[in-house]
Amino acid sequence: MSGPKETPQGASRYGMVIDLDRCNGCGACMVACAVENNVAPAPQRANDRNGITLLRVFPMRNGRDYPESRQVFVPMTCQQCDAPPCESVCPQHAVEFDWTTGIVAQIPVRCLGCRYCMVACPYHARAFNWWDPEWPEGMESTLNPDISTRSRGVAEKCNFCHHRRQVARERAAHEGREVREDEYQPACVEACPVGAIVFGDLNDPDSAVAKVYEAPDAFAFLDKLGTKPKIRYRSRQEWVHAMARQGVPEKEVTRG
Amino acid sequence: MDRSIIPRGLERAPLGKFLLWLLPWVLLLGFGLYSAYLCLRYGLHQTNMDNRFAFGAWIFLDLTVIALGAGAFFTGFLLYILKRRELKAVINSAVVIGFICYSGAVVVLMVDVGQPLRAWFTFWHPNVHSMLTEVTFCITCYLTVLAIEYLPILLKNRKLRQIPAFLVFEFNLHKVMYVLAGVGTFLSFFHQGSLGGLYGVLNGRPFVFREAFGIWPTTFFLFIISAAAAGPSFMLLTTWIASKVSGKRLVTHYVYESLGRISGYILSGYVLLKTADTLFWIRDTAPSLGVHPASFFANQPGYTALHLLEVALFGFLPMAIFLTKRLRARLGWLVTAATLTCLGIVVNRYVLTIQTLALPTLPFAEVLSYVPSWQETGTFLMVIAYGMLVYSISFRYSNLFPQERELRQG
Amino acid sequence: MKVSRRDMLMLLGGGAVGTIFSPIPWKLLRDSSVWTQNWPWIPVPKRGAAATAASACPLCPSACGVRVRTIGGRPVMVAGLPDAPGQRGALCAAGSGVHQLPWHPDRVRTPLRRVGGGSPGFEPASLEDAVGAIAAAIRETQGTVAILDGRPGRVLGGAYREFLSGRADTCVLVPPSAVRASMPVLRKLHTRDPGPLAVDLDVVDTIVGFSAPLLDGWGQPGLVQQRMHEGRLRLFQFEAVQSRTALMADRWIPITPGTERAVALGLARMLIRSGRVSPAFGYADFKAFVAAYEPWTPRRVFEVAGVDEATLTEVADALAPTGRVVAIGGGDPAGGPLPFEDEASIQVLNLLLGAMGQAVKAQRPLADDPADAASDRVATRDLCDVPDGSVGVLIADLAMAGATVPWPILARKMAPQGLLVSLTPVLADLALHAQWVIPTAPAFTAAHDCPGHPDLPRSLRLARGFTPAGDEVVDPVDLLNRLGTALGIERQATVADALDDMMALRLRALHRAGDGTVFVAGKDPVAMAEIDSPEDVLSMLRAGGCWRTALAAAASAEEPAVEAGDDQTETAPPRPAMPFALEQVAAKDSGGLVNGFQMYLIVGGGVERTAGVARSPILSKVDQESGLRPFANVARVNPATVASHGLRPNRRWRVSTPQGAITMRIEPDPTVPPGAILAGAEPQGALPWNAGNPVDLAAPDGKTWRLLPASITEA
């Protein structure tokens, strides 16, 4: 397992804070994510266990029955760990930790499809291409040219829309200036209708995300695993923190 | 008809009867090949695996057959390195079983990965931190060793011996067999361990994560020991089954007893270490990862029962049988204990593969289960059919059990 | 030369070893890695010049402003337009995939004629055949000729009226709405007819929601949620299901399903008794009014709706008659409107709170609007108010409706040999029942005018066409022109040849009226009166601008509420003692649990699941691939009910209402009240796993279907 190493001078460390008290589970982020990253619509037989949702909104419930039940919607995606368990397990370097951005990147063309990374990831944040991607006839023309499509048999995951950073950097370099914070925002952040997601450079103390990252109501999921995630969540509801600290498995769900 | 290629001094069933015995396995193999073709041609959606159950029946099969196939390396180790001469009676059979298990596992792995054509990337861009890299290198090398070990068994066939070059080659191979056994033992030990390490290093999965000795988690060592315990048991069991199916005495009771005793000793060590490991995990490892160990078993009566079964019924009980001299004298008891030991390893690998993935790590995720699709099951059965065919043919046309001739004459 | 076996073996062995040291295997390996990246069947995204355009999402009446990223002119991404008024940059999941709709797999590409009887089967036909058949049906029918306009307020509506005005016994039909139905109640309580009303969400500081999906489809969810987070809006939500709105509300008060009216009446009584009634509320016979509310004691409210006195008092105490408090019902766009009695009770509450004229204002009519043309000659009627079996020919245009029309209700209105024509870009929902299907332009292929929600201040945006629609698409105006020619109907001068011309007419009318303001992203708002020409308005709207009526100014001039003092002195026309019979508002079983139907089916789904809102297949991320918004084949049931009824989730279950049944999967869900079944509407009937649309389990004679008596049996 690789721990965080010495980061280069002037490097960024991108992170995200998601306010669970704001998210109403509309799913706009999930659609925007799929559109931005050229994820194909579900094949007919796909379901909630084998679909490709690089960002997935899970309901989290307090375990009590109506009307004491409460739920929040947890947008769960790659937590961009500083100590990513998926990176060290990949047998052929298809997962790379970028020390200049802190982004964990999946290189689909180097992926063998062994799925060991998916087993290693405690956030269930990785998806496997069980199918070849297929769009209805003509819909290929809506694909985003900044990112390639993936074939079947490889794993994929969120990379904070890394290609958007490239585009923003190129534009900024062309204009001879630094990238502004609002120029590089992942598609989900842009799509959230209620502004529940804040994204930016954690190394920049003036960034919006750095200001809320250490807020007293912020927490990370599974922080005791030592994965050092760079996505944190916020909620003022105590039961949310309690659930995040320790959850007990629910009943079993079979599908076959 | 095939008299001329059946080893001298051995009696084999008529060819027709033999072919009839092969027929169901050939059909099963055909079905399995078709299933595997579907998975390779159309993609892994032919299986019922999913993003949570990223490993499924196939990985469980791989872990299990490789643990059982450990009989090959361990028997070789005992015979060639520790000089347990009586095991010469089963060494050929052990090599064939090892070859079947390892080659079967590789075949299934090639279907299991999403892009088999990129499998060689692991050799080209190896990530030395990954347990899977270790596994890949070991399995490839050891399969080569097994293939070389398997060769002399084939070459001893009387038709092939007529070719002088083969005879010379075989003779030379015999001279290096000790080296091969040594290398094979090392590779195989390491491979078993890496498979255990595969799970033990997963700090994201508190259910299987184990503290490390050096760079290897305890599961690395537990896998080696459990495979060493189950290997001789599986040899005992397969020899007994071959003997029952062929209706011949293949080895003396002393060989059975010896295999059982070895199994029993190692099993006792394993049960002890496994218990200690579990207790340490309950007391230290799991809580340090922020998980109460009981949470893994809450509302999980089936899995809880499996754990008890693994240690009590499939651990202590066969150990007790193997180590009781009076029971060891009876073949029935030996076979029972061997069966229990093998079941124990099956349960252990099942728990590690399936329960690990069934249990969620996130507080809002559900406990899942899955049932393999028929294509998945078909590919699974393909390996079993393949094993039965290779073993049957090897048994018929080569002298897997050197004692068979003496026992027949005696 | 004799080749020995040994030579042969050496050759083979040497060749094998030699090959390893040749470039061949390495080249093959390298190529294999290239092949596995570039399979010919994996599409490669096309490149092109990147640009950004502002437009509007035409899918539903929320009419959100959108920012469209284009590559070589092709839209590749849609996001909310940050500076837009109203939604403040919010865009729903369906809107995020709107640019993919031209390639919807169920797109209609040619006129279709129904063939066969039972199961829906269609064959391609020519537009001439379609016009001939429809014209013949119009000529021969004894019944009403009607056009079902799912999105009233578009310029197209004017063309529909103009066409229908050339014939007797015609009408424009609109989807059922209880808000509209409750307007007469207000008329009876006022001396003057307030006309269409609108809620000004920018003014409101407190909302009492009665199952209104304020954050999930009604009106402007983005605005409501952002104002809530700014601390400028409080939300009390009375709702049976713990919906997304209920979860996010400042206070969610669970009620027994179907008892919204009881809560509203109980609240009204509390306000009356504590004297917190707006002075603007001046009902002539106030004593009789008060007496009518007297039976709705907290005790009775508790018995009927399950809301205890303390909670009700708490809410009532938080409501001051400042005029900035508004009660909203409305119902789920997919789940259908609230019953009339509920909506009327809610409107009375608004009167008491003094919301009329403050938070709720009269819409200012737009003079000379082509959309209003011929409105005096052609009646607009609620679909539910048309006599059964009376419609001879119905041309249904539900594209972009944002409302639901259950097939049983529509079917009952049709005459026995009636002809149903569907104008639609996608073969789904009611189009599957039509005799003729006419392909119309999907979103983002042609310019659409996007009027805002009818219950909000009047607004207008323009959606641009980015992708050519294709020759097969029929402009509805062109269809009407052809029908007119076939029928020999005299054309009115105001009827344009195409939608574009109609739009120009509307802009001219808007500009002439000089009302409201035009907002363009990144620029200062401009008053309509200060804009030079209609062409300038058009270019501003084309640049993603939004025109919005100046409601606040209109309110003071056209105050609909009547001062109490004035009302006393005025010789008011005789009015009934009560606006509607409160006695009808019975106990909780008023929903009508009939023999054998022991549960309630609650239909939901929000605006994304309404008729006509075609969803891109990429929406599979939120339903099929995550279950975040379950499909119609998922019945969500309270875990306690699952246990008590033995509803095993791994079995298939039939959810039946008196109208029919759908096979569903059970999913335990603690947000659903015990005894209820929550299911999402699913108008896209072509989905392969879709067993049916729960909306189609509505009673044919009903005006509401949000709560249906139901039962579950094993399938």
Side-chain angles (χ1 to χ4, degrees):
Chain A
M1 201 190 78
S2 59
K5 298 171 197 159
E6 200 65 30
T7 43
Q9 270 296 317
S12 299
R13 190 167 158 263
Y14 288 102
M16 200 179 252
V17 174
I18 303 176
D19 190 341
L20 298 181
D21 293 345
R22 281 196 172 205
C23 176
N24 69 0
C26 72
C29 52
M30 294 174 66
V31 174
C33 169
V35 167
E36 176 72 21
N37 289 293
N38 293 339
V39 178
Q44 194 176 320
R45 278 182 51 235
N47 57 42
D48 63 333
R49 285 169 61 169
N50 56 22
I52 298 186
T53 46
L54 306 184
L55 169 66
R56 178 165 170 185
V57 180
F58 286 89
M60 180 163 89
R61 293 176 176 146
N62 66 347
R64 306 183 61 182
D65 200 2
Y66 185 95
E68 273 82 41
S69 59
R70 290 291 176 274
Q71 65 178 0
V72 288
F73 296 94
V74 184
M76 186 48 70
T77 181
C78 172
Q79 303 287 296
Q80 306 292 350
C81 306
D82 270 346
C86 56
E87 187 214 14
S88 53
V89 300
C90 178
Q92 42 202 24
H93 290 303
V95 188
E96 275 187 359
F97 188 89
D98 183 346
W99 295 102
T100 59
T101 56
I103 294 175
V104 182
Q106 174 79 17
I107 304 157
V109 293
R110 205 183 277 170
C111 174
L112 150 85
C114 71
R115 304 186 293 283
Y116 191 18
C117 55
M118 301 173 68
V119 173
C121 175
Y123 300 100
H124 313 314
R126 293 175 151 266
F128 185 72
N129 283 269
W130 302 98
W131 281 266
D132 267 319
E134 202 178 330
W135 283 265
E137 201 188 332
M139 208 184 273
E140 313 86 62
S141 68
T142 65
L143 294 181
N144 179 4
D146 296 336
I147 183 168
S148 63
T149 51
R150 278 78 58 195
S151 70
R152 75 160 184 247
V154 299
E156 61 183 89
K157 68 169 199 73
C158 156
N159 60 3
F160 274 165
C161 289
H162 190 256
H163 54 276
R164 288 193 170 202
R165 180 167 180 269
Q166 302 297 349
V167 172
R169 272 160 59 94
E170 277 164 31
R171 196 187 308 128
H174 186 69
E175 293 165 16
R177 57 178 175 79
E178 292 288 302
V179 178
R180 289 193 313 273
E181 186 172 29
D182 64 328
E183 275 184 305
Y184 169 41
Q185 293 286 317
C188 53
V189 182
E190 188 180 40
C192 182
V194 295
I197 316 178
V198 187
F199 172 84
D201 184 358
L202 298 172
N203 282 352
D204 173 7
D206 296 329
S207 70
V209 68
K211 285 173 187 149
V212 290
Y213 200 70
E214 299 294 340
D217 61 353
F219 65 94
F221 277 101
L222 309 177
D223 55 349
K224 283 199 171 171
L225 297 185
T227 53
K228 302 191 174 73
K230 284 194 289 293
I231 296 186
R232 287 167 75 86
Y233 294 83
R234 296 180 73 180
S235 176
R236 292 183 307 277
Q237 304 176 63
E238 185 42 48
W239 70 266
V240 174
H241 291 259
M243 275 299 280
R245 274 195 300 274
Q246 178 139 31
V248 174
E250 288 178 56
K251 76 276 161 242
E252 192 164 337
V253 178
T254 310
R255 199 170 301 153
Chain B
M1 231 154 64
D2 57 345
R3 280 279 143 222
S4 60
I5 49 172
I6 288 175
R8 261 185 261 276
L10 295 185
E11 194 194 5
R12 290 291 180 255
L15 183 62
K17 199 175 166 193
F18 179 64
L19 291 178
L20 208 64
W21 156 256
L22 292 189
L23 184 67
W25 302 114
V26 170
L27 291 178
L28 197 58
L29 182 72
F31 170 65
L33 284 171
Y34 176 65
S35 304
Y37 161 77
L38 288 178
C39 297
L40 289 170
R41 168 70 184 80
Y42 296 103
L44 288 175
H45 64 266
Q46 299 281 331
T47 71
N48 273 346
M49 284 188 280
D50 53 56
N51 294 334
R52 273 276 299 281
F53 267 100
F55 289 174
W58 292 341
I59 296 286
F60 161 61
L61 174 81
D62 282 344
L63 290 184
T64 308
V65 296
I66 282 179
L68 295 175
F73 87 82
F74 200 63
T75 312
F77 171 71
L78 291 168
L79 171 65
Y80 295 113
I81 315 290
L82 297 187
K83 312 285 182 195
R84 300 288 306 215
R85 294 284 168 209
E86 74 274 17
L87 295 183
K88 194 145 179 56
V90 290
I91 186 66
N92 287 353
S93 170
V95 166
V96 172
I97 284 176
F99 178 77
I100 289 168
C101 289
Y102 272 76
S103 55
V106 169
V107 167
V108 167
L109 272 179
M110 284 302 102
V111 184
D112 196 357
V113 298
Q115 291 282 349
L117 288 179
R118 296 182 189 164
W120 58 276
F121 282 21
T122 304
F123 301 99
W124 208 245
H125 318 273
N127 176 7
V128 293
H129 302 291
S130 173
M131 279 289 164
L132 199 56
T133 309
E134 223 171 272
V135 169
T136 313
F137 276 80
C138 288
I139 200 171
T140 321
C141 298
Y142 188 48
L143 187 57
T144 315
V145 169
L146 277 172
I148 297 171
E149 285 184 345
Y150 186 32
L151 267 182
I153 300 171
L154 284 178
L155 297 180
K156 272 209 189 93
N157 185 281
R158 70 193 217 224
K159 268 280 180 230
L160 292 175
R161 280 172 86 110
Q162 289 167 3
I163 305 167
F166 283 1
L167 208 59
V168 173
F169 181 62
E170 195 226 311
F171 182 73
N172 287 324
L173 265 185
H174 261 281
K175 285 197 291 193
V176 297
M177 208 42 107
Y178 290 89
V179 180
L180 282 180
V183 170
T185 301
F186 170 76
L187 285 171
S188 181
F189 261 109
F190 217 78
H191 181 222
Q192 292 290 348
S194 309
L195 285 175
L198 213 59
Y199 287 96
V201 296
L202 298 178
N203 63 320
R205 297 277 182 175
F207 180 69
V208 282
F209 179 72
R210 292 293 186 278
E211 310 286 342
F213 286 110
I215 59 166
W216 290 294
T218 58
T219 46
F220 183 93
F221 306 100
L222 286 174
F223 257 55
I224 296 174
I225 301 169
S226 61
S233 274
F234 192 59
M235 288 313 305
L236 195 162
L237 199 58
T238 47
T239 309
W240 178 76
I241 291 171
S243 151
K244 281 285 154 200
V245 172
S246 64
K248 293 175 187 63
R249 286 190 66 198
L250 300 173
V251 295
T252 58
H253 186 77
Y254 178 65
V255 174
Y256 282 125
E257 222 182 320
S258 181
L259 285 170
R261 202 173 52 237
I262 294 165
S263 229
Y265 283 133
I266 304 174
L267 200 56
S268 61
Y270 173 68
V271 168
L272 195 72
L273 289 173
K274 166 87 184 168
T275 310
D277 176 68
T278 308
L279 291 177
F280 187 77
W281 171 75
I282 289 174
R283 203 181 73 93
D284 283 8
T285 314
S288 76
L289 297 174
V291 189
H292 195 283
S295 69
F296 294 119
F297 302 100
N299 314 321
Q300 303 296 319
Y303 284 128
T304 313
L306 269 188
H307 277 264
L308 292 175
L309 277 181
E310 187 196 334
V311 178
L313 185 61
F314 300 144
F316 272 110
L317 185 59
M319 179 191 87
I321 297 171
F322 278 141
L323 297 184
T324 309
K325 200 164 181 204
R326 208 156 42 86
L327 296 178
R328 216 160 55 209
R330 306 268 301 273
L331 186 57
W333 280 110
L334 280 175
V335 169
T336 309
T339 311
L340 291 175
T341 310
C342 292
L343 281 176
I345 208 110
V346 169
V347 168
N348 176 263
R349 302 311 194 246
Y350 178 86
V351 165
L352 230 66
T353 317
I354 305 298
Q355 192 182 354
T356 302
L357 295 178
L359 292 172
T361 41
L362 286 167
F364 45 80
E366 291 162 316
V367 180
L368 300 180
S369 62
Y370 101 117
V371 181
S373 70
W374 65 262
Q375 294 94 323
E376 226 173 328
T377 316
T379 310
F380 188 107
L381 294 176
M382 174 179 79
V383 173
I384 293 170
Y386 156 80
M388 290 307 282
L389 286 170
V390 173
Y391 193 85
S392 300
I393 293 168
S394 300
F395 178 79
R396 185 176 176 84
Y397 297 117
S398 38
N399 194 358
L400 288 192
F401 299 95
Q403 289 179 346
E404 185 188 356
R405 202 174 300 164
E406 301 154 29
L407 287 169
R408 180 166 169 258
Q409 284 154 357
Chain C
M1 178 188 147
K2 188 176 181 294
V3 180
S4 71
R5 196 182 286 167
R6 191 188 184 87
D7 294 338
M8 197 63 204
L9 285 169
M10 280 177 70
L11 178 74
L12 285 175
V17 172
T19 312
I20 295 174
F21 292 101
S22 78
I24 297 169
W26 313 108
K27 171 77 174 137
L28 275 174
L29 281 179
R30 209 195 142 275
D31 283 358
S32 78
S33 71
V34 176
W35 296 333
T36 57
Q37 296 167 30
N38 300 313
W39 296 115
W41 59 84
I42 309 290
V44 179
K46 272 187 241 157
R47 302 200 160 269
T52 305
S55 183
C57 172
L59 288 185
C60 86
S62 291
C64 304
V66 294
R67 192 161 47 84
V68 184
R69 178 163 179 249
T70 60
I71 298 293
R74 305 178 303 272
V76 298
M77 191 210 70
V78 180
L81 196 60
D83 294 347
Q87 280 284 54
R88 300 205 190 168
L91 187 65
C92 74
S96 303
V98 60
H99 63 296
Q100 299 185 328
L101 287 178
W103 298 278
H104 195 288
D106 298 329
R107 200 147 150 220
V108 189
R109 299 199 176 268
T110 165
L112 298 174
R113 183 208 330 254
R114 187 187 193 78
V115 287
S119 62
F122 293 96
E123 64 174 20
S126 70
L127 183 59
E128 287 69 31
D129 289 349
V131 168
I134 300 166
I138 293 176
R139 219 178 284 122
E140 286 156 22
T141 185
Q142 303 294 311
T144 306
V145 175
I147 295 179
L148 177 56
D149 186 357
R151 182 91 178 262
R154 294 174 298 174
V155 287
L156 190 53
Y160 289 152
R161 279 213 184 75
E162 195 64 64
F163 172 75
L164 293 175
S165 66
R167 194 185 184 281
D169 193 13
T170 57
C171 68
V172 168
L173 295 178
V174 288
S177 158
V179 176
R180 211 166 34 239
S182 65
M183 286 303 160
V185 175
L186 301 179
R187 268 172 226 150
K188 285 172 187 167
L189 288 168
H190 284 292
T191 48
R192 263 181 288 161
D193 184 349
L197 295 175
V199 179
D200 192 349
L201 290 171
D202 286 323
V203 174
V204 174
D205 65 11
T206 306
I207 295 179
V208 190
F210 290 88
S211 305
L214 290 159
L215 302 178
D216 202 18
W218 184 90
Q220 295 172 323
L223 175 71
V224 173
Q225 184 145 7
Q226 292 196 15
R227 277 179 58 89
M228 280 172 69
H229 282 296
E230 288 160 10
R232 293 161 65 188
L233 182 60
R234 274 185 312 172
L235 173 59
F236 298 96
Q237 182 81 349
F238 291 98
E239 190 165 3
V241 178
Q242 195 184 39
S243 67
R244 283 165 160 81
T245 307
L247 273 171
M248 309 304 290
D250 295 281
R251 183 83 195 265
W252 167 54
I253 303 106
I255 61 171
T256 307
T259 58
E260 283 85 354
R261 66 194 76 164
V263 178
L265 293 169
L267 267 182
R269 181 182 177 276
M270 278 190 170
L271 291 175
I272 293 168
R273 285 179 75 92
S274 61
R276 272 172 299 146
V277 175
S278 163
F281 177 63
Y283 184 60
D285 195 354
F286 196 72
K287 279 202 182 94
F289 183 86
V290 170
Y293 277 82
E294 200 46 44
W296 288 95
T297 58
R299 190 192 164 84
R300 190 165 170 208
V301 173
F302 178 70
E303 282 166 6
V304 175
V307 181
D308 61 43
E309 181 170 3
T311 309
L312 204 62
T313 312
E314 227 173 287
V315 177
D317 287 349
L319 306 179
T322 56
R324 301 164 77 85
V325 181
V326 65
I328 297 178
D332 186 279
L338 289 175
F340 164 75
E341 291 83 359
D342 290 356
E343 206 61 68
S345 311
I346 292 164
Q347 296 302 350
V348 170
L349 202 53
N350 274 337
L351 286 176
L352 291 170
L353 289 166
M356 295 298 168
Q358 303 273 335
V360 180
K361 293 174 189 129
Q363 294 272 29
R364 180 186 276 191
L366 183 59
D368 305 330
D369 187 350
D372 287 341
S375 59
D376 49 339
R377 279 172 290 160
V378 183
T380 300
R381 304 177 75 174
D382 190 303
L383 177 66
C384 288
D385 296 338
V386 177
D388 294 344
S390 67
V391 181
V393 176
L394 180 66
I395 300 174
D397 173 11
L398 287 171
M400 303 149 202
T404 300
V405 180
W407 169 241
I409 293 179
L410 181 64
R412 197 178 168 101
K413 303 301 177 191
M414 297 297 292
Q417 295 300 314
L419 184 81
L420 177 62
V421 182
S422 178
L423 308 184
T424 180
V426 167
L427 190 62
D429 200 33
L430 291 182
L432 296 170
H433 299 281
Q435 277 81 36
W436 282 93
V437 178
I438 309 293
T440 55
F444 272 41
T445 59
H448 287 285
D449 56 331
C450 305
H453 196 283
D455 299 338
L456 296 175
R458 183 174 285 159
S459 69
L460 178 68
R461 286 179 186 277
L462 277 189
R464 282 173 45 180
F466 289 90
T467 314
D471 299 336
E472 67 277 3
V473 161
V474 177
D475 184 339
V477 179
D478 180 45
L479 176 74
L480 297 182
N481 290 344
R482 285 166 183 255
L483 279 176
T485 312
L487 291 166
I489 293 176
E490 285 284 310
R491 286 192 55 197
Q492 303 292 316
T494 51
V495 173
D497 284 332
L499 278 174
D500 287 352
D501 307 331
M502 304 268 315
M503 197 59 228
L505 286 176
R506 162 169 276 194
L507 287 175
R508 214 173 299 156
L510 267 183
H511 185 255
R512 197 159 45 236
D515 176 32
T517 311
V518 179
F519 300 81
V520 180
K523 293 182 184 157
D524 291 334
V526 188
M528 180 62 96
E530 291 165 18
I531 299 173
D532 292 335
S533 69
E535 288 72 29
D536 290 349
V537 181
L538 179 66
S539 63
M540 289 170 85
L541 293 188
R542 276 201 177 140
C546 174
W547 168 79
R548 200 155 158 240
T549 185
L551 204 57
S556 58
E558 291 182 40
E559 180 64 76
V562 180
E563 290 300 319
D566 297 348
D567 201 44
Q568 301 293 334
T569 55
E570 201 175 315
T571 51
R575 286 177 292 190
M578 272 310 298
F580 60 98
L582 288 176
E583 297 72 37
Q584 286 176 7
V585 186
K588 63 180 164 186
D589 58 357
S590 63
L593 284 191
V594 289
N595 300 341
F597 294 94
Q598 302 295 322
M599 302 172 84
Y600 286 109
L601 173 64
I602 303 174
V603 185
V607 74
E608 291 167 24
R609 298 286 180 83
T610 54
V613 176
R615 302 200 308 276
S616 164
I618 202 69
L619 269 286
S620 61
K621 301 298 161 199
V622 287
D623 39 48
Q624 187 188 349
E625 289 175 270
S626 68
L628 181 61
R629 288 180 183 271
F631 271 127
N633 62 354
V634 178
R636 284 175 286 169
V637 182
N638 185 280
T641 312
V642 169
S644 65
H645 286 61
L647 307 173
R648 307 228 332 238
N650 50 359
R651 302 259 174 89
R652 310 285 297 168
W653 297 90
R654 274 175 80 74
V655 174
S656 313
T657 72
Q659 175 67 15
I662 291 182
T663 305
M664 299 192 190
R665 188 161 61 74
I666 299 287
E667 194 177 286
D669 187 339
T671 64
V672 180
I677 307 158
L678 183 66
E682 183 46 73
Q684 276 175 321
L687 296 176
W689 53 85
N690 190 10
N693 188 352
V695 165
D696 290 345
L697 298 180
D701 54 349
K703 291 187 171 190
T704 169
W705 54 92
R706 51 179 290 113
L707 200 64
L708 300 168
S711 65
I712 299 188
T713 50
E714 192 160 353

